[in-house]
């Protein structure tokens, strides 16, 4: 249970940091579930560094991290390029399935990437592949730290 809590908290924190930094640099706040889609931000709004996440994401990050633990142990000896590529594909898969399930359960996915040129059903953005590549490799370090607890 501790592992799920740690992965959930790490995921939440990473998402809040990511959304705040993206808003700062792009001048746009992503969809917050208000049907307006991305919103242009003033300079003052950008400098607030307002990040966000969804309550639904805690179990997604927590259980996703737990799911990947055994796989990390199995592929630990792979070159980093192969591991990062695998994490990218698997994170996309978890994001897509979680988004589709949430859409079915609640009538709407908490995130909506349909405004992006590189989306699949509004549930994943292929231009996030480099982010997921790096995030997967970072999560390996988190797993090692959690396993040492």
């Amino acid at each position: 249970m501790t592992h799920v809590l740690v992965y959930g908290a790490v995921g939440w924190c990473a998402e809040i940091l990511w959304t705040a930094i993206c808003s700062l640099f792009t001048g746009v706040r992503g969809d917050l579930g208000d049907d307006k889609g991305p919103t242009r931000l003033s300079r003052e709004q950008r400098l607030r560094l307002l990040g966000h996440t969804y309550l639904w994401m805690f179990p997604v990050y927590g259980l996703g991290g737990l799911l990947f633990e055994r796989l990390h142990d199995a592929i630990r000896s792979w070159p980093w390029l192969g591991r990062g590529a695998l994490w990218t594909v698997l994170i996309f898969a978890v994001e897509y399935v979680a988004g589709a399930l949430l859409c079915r359960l609640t009538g709407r996915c908490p995130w909506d990437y349909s405004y992006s040129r590189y989306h699949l059903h509004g549930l994943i953005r292929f231009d996030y592949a480099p982010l997921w590549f790096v995030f997967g490799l970072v999560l390996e370090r988190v797993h090692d730290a959690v396993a040492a607890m």
Side-chain angles (χ1 to χ4, degrees):
M1 182 63 167
T2 304
H3 293 209
V4 172
L5 295 175
V6 170
Y7 295 133
V10 166
W12 261 359
C13 291
E15 186 167 352
I16 291 167
L17 285 170
W18 173 256
T19 56
I21 290 168
C22 281
S23 293
L24 174 67
F25 287 108
T26 66
V28 176
R29 183 182 68 221
D31 176 32
L32 293 179
D34 55 10
D35 290 330
K36 291 192 238 176
T39 306
R40 287 255 167 242
L41 301 174
S42 68
R43 182 178 187 278
E44 293 77 24
Q45 289 171 317
R46 290 168 74 167
L47 293 175
R48 287 185 193 147
L49 294 176
L50 179 64
H52 67 276
T53 189
Y54 308 96
L55 186 57
W56 287 108
M57 295 313 296
F58 193 87
V60 171
Y61 289 128
L63 295 173
L66 195 62
L67 177 71
F68 291 165
E69 280 186 346
R70 285 183 189 229
L71 182 58
H72 175 224
D73 289 334
I75 67 168
R76 190 178 292 275
S77 64
W78 287 20
W80 66 271
L81 196 58
R83 294 192 326 267
L86 181 61
W87 295 134
T88 302
V89 169
L90 293 176
I91 291 170
F92 274 143
V94 168
E95 184 178 33
Y96 188 90
V97 169
L101 285 173
L102 288 170
C103 193
R104 188 172 271 254
L105 280 171
T106 68
R108 176 165 186 182
C109 179
W111 60 93
D112 180 7
Y113 297 139
S114 58
Y115 62 89
S116 171
R117 182 184 317 184
Y118 307 105
H119 75 92
L120 177 63
H121 304 130
L123 300 175
I124 60 174
R125 287 183 59 168
F126 292 112
D127 55 329
Y128 280 3
L131 170 71
W132 293 139
F133 184 99
V134 171
F135 191 65
L137 295 175
V138 168
L139 285 179
E140 291 180 342
R141 303 295 171 246
V142 173
H143 170 231
D144 290 341
V146 168
M149 292 171 55

